[in-house]
Amino acid sequence: DLFKGNGLYDISLRNTVNHGYFKGIPGAPLCACIEQMPAVERADCRRVSAGQVKYTFSHDAATGEISGSTAVDVQYEDCPDDLAATFKALHPDRADAIDEHLVGDCDRDLFDYLNEEKFLVPGRSKTKYLDIAEDDGWTFVAGEGIRFLPPKIDDEDADAEFRDLIGAGCKNDDGTER
């Protein structure tokens, strides 16, 4: 318990910066209790261990000042299991408390959500767009809101390209991490 702050520093600042993660995830605080975080499939676990704490005190007889300092060697390491397994091992009486936050495999739910809510839905709204014809003397250049006219794209090609991007994860074309 004495080194919880060191663990928080390691996870929230040092470990993220060392891996190139500089910005937060939308809707998720950089640092918070698990109850304030969005549900995810899994989370890694880190441990903090420390050697013997060394206390040093000194007294300056001329000024009467007393000073003290502490020193300790702190090590950080990955847990052998993920956060859910580690929590359940440490707290068997509350093992199910973490399940609503670390939900395990959600491939099917994610697939359904992306297909129903986020992927390209072919078609055009009958009420959102007002047709502007060039033979009426107008040339449509660009617009927004009800005047937004998406570019002509092949729905199947766009859907396949987007699914390929999602399937590739966060990797560049050459396979390196972004």
Side-chain angles (χ1 to χ4, degrees), residues 110-121 159 162 166:
L110 182 61
F111 179 83
D112 291 344
Y113 172 73
L114 289 176
N115 278 309
E116 292 169 10
E117 302 290 332
K118 300 296 178 189
F119 273 14
L120 177 66
V121 179
D159 186 66
F162 187 71
I166 295 294

Side-chain angles (χ1 to χ4, degrees), residues 82-150:
D82 68 354
L83 181 60
T86 303
F87 180 86
K88 289 175 182 185
L90 293 173
H91 306 284
D93 56 322
R94 311 184 284 147
D96 59 344
I98 201 161
D99 289 339
E100 70 182 75
H101 304 288
L102 301 174
V103 297
D105 184 22
C106 59
D107 285 342
R108 184 72 219 169
D109 292 334
L110 182 61
F111 179 83
D112 291 344
Y113 172 73
L114 289 176
N115 278 309
E116 292 169 10
E117 302 290 332
K118 300 296 178 189
F119 273 14
L120 177 66
V121 179
R124 185 171 173 175
S125 171
K126 294 177 183 169
T127 59
K128 268 190 169 180
Y129 303 104
L130 178 64
D131 287 329
I132 297 176
E134 289 192 18
D135 54 350
D136 291 336
W138 293 93
T139 301
F140 194 77
V141 178
E144 63 181 65
I146 65 168
R147 302 280 185 229
F148 175 69
L149 184 62

Side-chain angles (χ1 to χ4, degrees), residues 7-154:
L8 185 61
Y9 158 74
D10 177 59
I11 292 168
S12 67
L13 184 60
R14 190 183 73 164
N15 207 19
T16 55
V17 170
N18 288 345
H19 287 96
Y21 309 136
F22 294 105
K23 295 185 179 179
I25 298 168
L30 178 61
C31 176
C33 295
I34 196 166
E35 292 84 5
Q36 284 84 40
M37 295 291 194
V40 295
E41 287 186 5
R42 66 177 301 279
D44 290 333
C45 175
R46 296 280 285 169
R47 287 188 181 169
V48 179
S49 59
Q52 189 69 27
V53 179
K54 179 182 176 185
Y55 299 96
T56 307
F57 298 96
S58 61
H59 175 257
D60 185 341
T63 63
E65 288 184 22
I66 298 175
S67 63
S69 65
T70 58
V72 65
D73 184 29
V74 179
Q75 288 95 28
Y76 308 96
E77 63 184 354
D78 292 329
C79 299
D81 295 315
D82 68 354
L83 181 60
T86 303
F87 180 86
K88 289 175 182 185
L90 293 173
H91 306 284
D93 56 322
R94 311 184 284 147
D96 59 344
I98 201 161
D99 289 339
E100 70 182 75
H101 304 288
L102 301 174
V103 297
D105 184 22
C106 59
D107 285 342
R108 184 72 219 169
D109 292 334
L110 182 61
F111 179 83
D112 291 344
Y113 172 73
L114 289 176
N115 278 309
E116 292 169 10
E117 302 290 332
K118 300 296 178 189
F119 273 14
L120 177 66
V121 179
R124 185 171 173 175
S125 171
K126 294 177 183 169
T127 59
K128 268 190 169 180
Y129 303 104
L130 178 64
D131 287 329
I132 297 176
E134 289 192 18
D135 54 350
D136 291 336
W138 293 93
T139 301
F140 194 77
V141 178
E144 63 181 65
I146 65 168
R147 302 280 185 229
F148 175 69
L149 184 62
K152 300 277 187 210
I153 58 172
D154 181 82

